[in-house]
Amino acid sequence: MSGHDASGHLHVSPESKAPYAADVLEKLHADAAEVVARYPQKRSALLPLLHLVQSVDGYVTGRGVTFCAEVLDLTEAEVSGVATFYTQYKRHPNGEYTVGVCTNTLCAIMGGDLIFDRVSEHLGIGHDETTDDGKITLERLECNAACDYAPVVMANWEFFDNQTPESTIGLVDDLRAGKDVAPTRGAAKVCSFKEVSRVLAGFHDGRGDEGVGAGPASLLGLTIANENGWVAPAAKRADRASGSRGASDGKDGTK
C-alpha cells in the first residue's frame, strides 16, 4: 500500500514540481482560457482550474499549483490554501478510481463501517491510501446524500446503492481488472478519476443523460401523491392593484 505526507506546495515531491511538457502546457493554457472566460473575475475560476490540473496529473501537483497561480494572478499560497481545504482535490497521487464508503450515521448503522473495514482489509490499504497498482484509492466519506439507499458507496462520485461488503469487494475487484462497471444510478459506466476531473472542470462529456437519474426510493413520496391525487396548494398571488400604490397625494392625481 502507499501512504503520503504531502501537504501544501512546499511539501510535494520534486517530480510534482517538474515543468509540463510544451504540448501539455499549450493545451492547459487553451483550456484554462476557456474556463476563465466564464467568470467576471478570473480568480473565481480557481476551483475548476484545480479540477483541470487533476484531469492532467491525477492530483494537484506542485506544477499545477504554479500554473493556477500564474494564470489567475494569485500567489501559490492562495492556491494551496484552496487545494488543501476541499477533499475532492488530492495533494498526492490518487488512484484511477476513488472508492468512497459512506460511514456517516445512517450508512454506518446499515453496514457502512463493516463495508469499509472489509474492503480495507481486502485491498490492504486504509483511508486515503492507494493500492500498489494505482487503481483504487479508498476513502471514508461523511455523506453521499443518498440516505434512502444506505449503505451507499461511490466510485468516482457515481452511486452504488444498498451495498454489502461482498458487493463492494466485487466492485473494487472489477475496477482493478479493467472491467466496465455500471453504477446503480447515473452514467452507463464509471469513468476514470482524470476523466471525471475534466467534467468537473466544466468540459462536458456528453453523458449527462445516461442511466437512471432517480430510483424508486427517492420517488416514493411522488408515487404516493399521484396515487391519491394529492397536489400542492396553489400559491396565492398578491393583488398588485390593491393597497396604497394607486393612491394619490393631491386632488389632481399626482403623488
Side-chain angles (χ1 to χ4, degrees), residues 148-149 214-230:
D148 41 353
Y149 293 102
S218 301
L219 299 174
L220 182 59
L222 179 62
T223 300
I224 294 173
N226 288 337
E227 290 174 351
N228 289 276
W230 298 340

Side-chain angles (χ1 to χ4, degrees), residues 91-170:
R91 296 312 314 275
H92 54 91
N94 196 72
E96 186 176 352
Y97 300 97
T98 298
V99 175
V101 181
C102 182
T103 55
N104 210 331
T105 307
L106 181 57
C107 280
I109 292 172
M110 298 294 288
D113 283 336
L114 179 60
I115 290 173
F116 182 89
D117 291 343
R118 289 278 302 278
V119 174
S120 175
E121 181 181 6
H122 178 72
L123 295 176
I125 57 176
H127 168 69
D128 200 23
E129 294 182 345
T130 301
T131 53
D132 289 336
D133 60 7
K135 289 290 186 178
I136 306 292
T137 294
L138 182 64
E139 291 184 340
R140 288 182 179 271
L141 296 182
E142 277 306 303
C143 184
N144 284 330
C147 302
D148 41 353
Y149 293 102
V152 178
V153 172
M154 298 192 87
N156 288 346
W157 302 291
E158 297 287 359
F159 286 108
F160 289 82
D161 303 323
N162 302 312
Q163 291 296 288
T164 65
E166 292 72 26
S167 66
T168 309
I169 288 173

Side-chain angles (χ1 to χ4, degrees), residues 14-179:
E15 307 86 63
S16 171
K17 300 180 184 181
Y20 287 108
D23 59 329
V24 175
L25 186 60
E26 181 180 6
K27 181 67 165 59
L28 265 175
H29 274 294
D31 287 341
E34 184 175 337
V35 172
V36 171
R38 301 170 187 159
Y39 298 89
Q41 296 186 32
K42 62 182 181 180
R43 67 180 295 138
S44 300
L46 178 55
L47 298 184
L49 284 193
L50 287 169
H51 285 300
L52 181 63
V53 166
Q54 291 196 140
S55 76
V56 174
D57 290 329
Y59 68 109
V60 179
T61 53
R63 63 187 178 183
V65 169
T66 300
F67 173 80
C68 291
E70 291 175 349
V71 168
L72 301 177
D73 294 331
L74 298 172
T75 66
E76 291 175 347
E78 288 174 314
V79 176
S80 287
V82 172
T84 54
F85 184 83
Y86 296 103
T87 58
Q88 278 191 322
Y89 301 126
K90 310 302 180 182
R91 296 312 314 275
H92 54 91
N94 196 72
E96 186 176 352
Y97 300 97
T98 298
V99 175
V101 181
C102 182
T103 55
N104 210 331
T105 307
L106 181 57
C107 280
I109 292 172
M110 298 294 288
D113 283 336
L114 179 60
I115 290 173
F116 182 89
D117 291 343
R118 289 278 302 278
V119 174
S120 175
E121 181 181 6
H122 178 72
L123 295 176
I125 57 176
H127 168 69
D128 200 23
E129 294 182 345
T130 301
T131 53
D132 289 336
D133 60 7
K135 289 290 186 178
I136 306 292
T137 294
L138 182 64
E139 291 184 340
R140 288 182 179 271
L141 296 182
E142 277 306 303
C143 184
N144 284 330
C147 302
D148 41 353
Y149 293 102
V152 178
V153 172
M154 298 192 87
N156 288 346
W157 302 291
E158 297 287 359
F159 286 108
F160 289 82
D161 303 323
N162 302 312
Q163 291 296 288
T164 65
E166 292 72 26
S167 66
T168 309
I169 288 173
L171 165 64
V172 297
D173 284 349
D174 285 346
L175 291 173
R176 295 182 80 182
K179 297 180 180 180

